[in-house]
Each structure stands twice: as structure tokens, then as C-alpha cells.
């Protein structure tokens, strides 16, 4: 598919359903981190998030995330090397976009 110009993106990635070797076999253009990792309080969630981002960077996979709710979260995620963001910090979903 990549040879045809199709970008493969994996949504809600958290490293559990698809381990790193499977991710490499798929060789996606990008992954979007599961927002639940951001909702996990404490260091464990952020350590897992950092590990996923570093692995993706080392393998030329772009990284996006959602659940960015405030400036502090946005600034932290930028330091991790995440390139694309979604969340209420940037604005609420509109009725048109949310499908309601």
C-alpha cells in the first residue's frame, strides 16, 4: 500500500494489542497514541508514553496524540517529540465534526 502512496496510520496505539515487532511489520506512516495513557496518573503512564514515542522516532514513525487538555500537557508532550496534537486545549469538537 505504501508503494501506491497510501499512508498507514494506527489509531489508539498503546503498545498492548500491537507490540513493537508487529508495529515494525506493519511499518505505518504514523501512530496516534491512545489518550488513556495521558489519563493514567503517575510516572507509569508517562514512562510508557515516552518509550512508545522514542521507539517510533527511532523507526521513522510520526507520532500524534489526543486528550491534550491544558498547556502543561501540551508543553510536556512537545518535549517528548510528539508532532501532532488533539484535545480540548485547542478547542471542543463541533457538532459537525463529532457526528452528533
Amino acid at each position: 500500500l505504501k508503494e501506491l502512496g497510501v499512508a498507514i496510520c494506527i489509531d489508539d496505539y498503546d503498545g498492548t494489542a500491537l507490540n513493537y515487532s508487529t508495529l515494525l511489520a506493519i511499518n505505518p506512516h504514523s501512530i496516534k497514541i491512545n489518550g488513556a495513557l495521558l489519563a493514567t496518573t503517575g510516572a507509569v503512564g508517562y514512562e510508557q508514553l515516552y518509550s512508545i514515542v522514542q521507539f517510533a522516532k527511532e523507526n521513522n514513525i510520526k507520532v500524534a496524540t489526543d486528550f491534550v487538555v491544558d498547556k502543561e500537557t501540551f508543553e510536556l508532550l512537545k518535549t517528548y517529540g510528539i508532532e501532532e496534537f488533539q484535545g480540548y486545549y485547542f478547542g471542543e469538537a463541533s457538532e459537525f465534526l463529532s457526528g452528533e
Side-chain angles (χ1 to χ4, degrees), residues 77-91:
L77 296 174
K78 285 194 312 186
T79 68
Y80 281 17
I82 295 175
E83 301 160 297
E84 297 179 8
F85 307 89
Q86 290 178 303
Y88 285 113
Y89 176 63
F90 304 104

Side-chain angles (χ1 to χ4, degrees), residues 1 6 30 45-47:
L1 291 174
V6 175
S30 65
Y46 282 102
E47 286 176 13

Side-chain angles (χ1 to χ4, degrees), residues 2 5 8 24 43 45-46 48 61 68 70 73 76 78 84 90-91 98:
K2 279 188 159 185
I8 299 170
L24 286 178
Y46 282 102
Q48 184 177 1
I61 300 169
V68 180
D70 55 36
T73 303
L76 175 66
K78 285 194 312 186
E84 297 179 8
F90 304 104
S98 67

Side-chain angles (χ1 to χ4, degrees), residues 26-60:
I26 295 170
N27 191 21
H29 175 262
S30 65
I31 58 174
K32 186 166 96 175
I33 301 291
N34 187 331
L37 285 178
L38 297 178
T40 303
T41 57
V44 173
Y46 282 102
E47 286 176 13
Q48 184 177 1
L49 174 65
Y50 184 77
S51 173
I52 291 169
V53 173
Q54 292 309 303
F55 178 83
K57 292 287 188 189
E58 291 169 6
N59 291 283
N60 297 313

